[in-house]
Amino acid sequence: MGITNFQIVLDSPSGAYYAGQNVTGKVLLTLDKPKKVRALIIKFQGIAKVSWSETDSVRQNDGNTRNETVTYTAEEEYFSNKYNLAGGGNSELELPAGDLVYPFSTSLPPLLPSSFEGEHGYVRYTVKATLDRPWKFDQDSKSVFTVVTPVDLNFNARAKEPVKKELAKTFCCCWCKSGPLTLVVMLPFSGFVPGQSIPLTIEVDNVSNVEVERIKCILSKKLTFKAREPRNKERSDTAEVIKLSMEGVEPNGSKSWTQQLTIPIMPPCNLDQCSIIHCEYELKVIAEVGGMHSNLQADIPIFIGTVPVMQVQPAPSSFPDPASISQPSAPLLPNDQNNGPPAAPAVGFTVHPGPTEGNLYPTIPPSLLAGGDQAPMILPDGDKNPTAPA
């Protein structure tokens, strides 16, 4: 049989590392008899890929058109490092029978996008050990590790600024024009970390003759994927992260709310160093009106980081205990009428500005490792199980 165990074990308990940190671990190899190899090679790589397919109409030479499936792709590499753990050159090396251990280490560049998994693209970091065997197929063992590039919101001037958005509109019916509907949304700042609550102050002054049926607050996440082959093309997908609803406002009435919109626990999404995947968050506050009239909507960019704005109390350099997260102070309506944000799960993870004494690695639950949208892990070259020997 020869090889009975061939695996990669990382020193980080969660398999997560900060950008700029050393990735360390060991290759474990168990042989039931001596084996000749050319080399045991270790390779580290960080890449991003996007891919999706669309059906396009293509005009043929005879003037007719036909539908054709076009796959749009792009790829970029952030770092790659390969060296021999044993052997090398033109000579062969005989590995003895038994349990063998080969330590490895490589330094990550300081500027890297965080690991990300999405439906149409990913940023992924892998380490692969290869047994280069003479006159036989090579054998591989591959593992994925997570890279976290912290986002300190205190270095983002826009994230620290107070926000006040005021919008107004009137409604027309035949030759009549109503009084204005005014919507005011205020935030003390716009930078938050997962598990934190967004403190909202909302004021609605409805001097019109049209009923405001409900007020909706929606935090959404927009992902943009950029392809380069066979030509430049973009696609964007938007998903709701969390939402809540409040009761409406009668004609010639006014109401105000002080609300807490709790951001769920989710992985860091720092893609500043990635040019083919972009991630942004937006808070929408919508005054939904009846009849055929259009709604009044305030759109506010939200910045999600890993280190909270210092003026927040408490302001630790990690995510707060979800049990301490404050609950909304206004009554919520079930589903689209009465459904508020779910309670934050009893999990969290700690991301410091970088390695610190006693906190060498990011602490991330397994369900959130190397994940953005939690897409299935399909590795390059078709490897579906990154930890199993090839």
Side-chain angles (χ1 to χ4, degrees):
M1 185 176 178
I3 301 174
T4 60
N5 181 44
F6 187 24
Q7 64 174 312
I8 294 170
V9 178
L10 297 166
D11 287 341
S12 169
S14 64
Y17 295 87
Y18 292 106
Q21 200 171 14
N22 286 340
V23 176
T24 58
K26 49 189 173 289
V27 176
L28 304 182
L29 179 63
T30 303
L31 305 176
D32 62 5
K33 62 181 179 181
K35 181 174 289 290
K36 288 185 177 181
V37 299
R38 289 195 186 94
L40 174 58
I41 305 165
I42 193 82
K43 181 179 180 181
F44 306 86
Q45 190 179 35
I47 61 171
K49 286 186 177 182
V50 300
S51 178
W52 73 88
S53 297
E54 296 182 8
T55 300
D56 293 348
S57 295
V58 179
R59 183 173 295 277
Q60 299 176 297
N61 294 332
D62 59 5
N64 295 323
T65 59
R66 63 181 176 87
N67 290 332
E68 182 179 273
T69 300
V70 179
T71 300
Y72 295 92
T73 63
E75 180 177 348
E76 61 185 17
E77 184 179 75
Y78 305 110
F79 88 103
S80 181
N81 185 23
K82 181 172 73 171
Y83 61 88
N84 295 333
L85 293 175
N90 297 322
S91 61
E92 295 180 3
L93 170 70
E94 184 173 274
L95 300 179
D99 296 326
L100 307 175
V101 179
Y102 296 93
F104 60 76
S105 176
T106 194
S107 296
L108 296 175
L111 297 177
L112 288 174
S114 291
S115 296
F116 170 83
E117 295 288 331
E119 182 180 359
H120 304 294
Y122 59 76
V123 177
R124 196 172 292 162
Y125 297 90
T126 59
V127 53
K128 181 172 75 171
T130 301
L131 273 177
D132 182 0
R133 303 188 297 170
W135 307 107
K136 292 183 180 180
F137 290 112
D138 294 342
Q139 284 195 271
D140 298 328
S141 178
K142 183 180 285 186
S143 183
V144 176
F145 60 93
T146 299
V147 170
V148 174
T149 300
V151 180
D152 191 337
L153 295 169
N154 297 284
F155 292 101
N156 184 336
R158 290 182 63 195
K160 298 187 294 181
E161 294 175 351
V163 176
K164 181 176 182 180
K165 196 115 180 187
E166 184 171 352
L167 301 172
K169 68 175 299 179
T170 56
F171 303 96
C172 295
C173 180
C174 298
W175 297 276
C176 299
K177 185 176 181 180
S178 73
L181 168 64
T182 305
L183 171 66
V184 180
V185 182
M186 292 176 284
L187 287 75
F189 42 84
S190 58
F192 303 91
V193 299
Q196 195 175 12
S197 292
I198 302 175
L200 283 167
T201 299
I202 303 170
E203 299 174 357
V204 175
D205 187 17
N206 188 11
V207 187
S208 75
N209 54 6
V210 176
E211 179 185 3
V212 176
E213 296 182 342
R214 67 179 63 86
I215 302 295
K216 278 189 177 180
C217 301
I218 302 172
L219 178 65
S220 63
K221 176 181 181 180
K222 180 181 177 182
L223 293 171
T224 302
F225 302 92
K226 301 178 181 181
R228 295 170 180 163
E229 298 293 338
R231 58 184 179 272
N232 291 338
K233 194 176 179 85
E234 294 185 6
R235 69 165 295 160
S236 295
D237 299 322
T238 302
E240 291 182 357
V241 176
I242 191 72
K243 69 177 179 180
L244 59 85
S245 296
M246 286 86 75
E247 67 272 14
V249 181
E250 296 290 334
N252 298 307
S254 63
K255 286 184 182 179
S256 63
W257 298 264
T258 299
Q259 191 60 267
Q260 301 282 336
L261 186 65
T262 302
I263 302 172
I265 300 297
M266 54 188 180
C269 188
N270 183 352
L271 299 176
D272 290 348
Q273 302 300 319
C274 178
S275 66
I276 59 176
I277 306 174
H278 182 64
C279 175
E280 58 187 340
Y281 296 88
E282 187 174 58
L283 175 65
K284 301 178 186 294
V285 179
I286 308 166
E288 293 190 348
V289 297
M292 301 297 292
H293 305 291
S294 59
N295 298 328
L296 187 59
Q297 177 174 314
D299 298 329
I300 301 171
I302 297 294
F303 303 94
I304 305 294
T306 58
V307 181
V309 175
M310 291 296 291
Q311 64 205 71
V312 181
Q313 297 295 328
S317 60
S318 62
F319 297 126
D321 180 359
S324 68
I325 296 171
S326 56
Q327 296 301 312
S329 59
L332 304 178
L333 306 172
N335 293 321
D336 264 353
Q337 298 183 17
N338 245 341
N339 198 6
V347 296
F349 54 99
T350 301
V351 177
H352 295 267
T356 60
E357 184 178 354
N359 295 284
L360 188 60
Y361 307 111
T363 303
I364 304 178
S367 61
L368 299 182
L369 286 175
D373 288 0
Q374 300 304 306
M377 297 291 287
I378 305 297
L379 290 168
D381 308 320
D383 294 331
K384 296 185 180 180
N385 185 352
T387 59

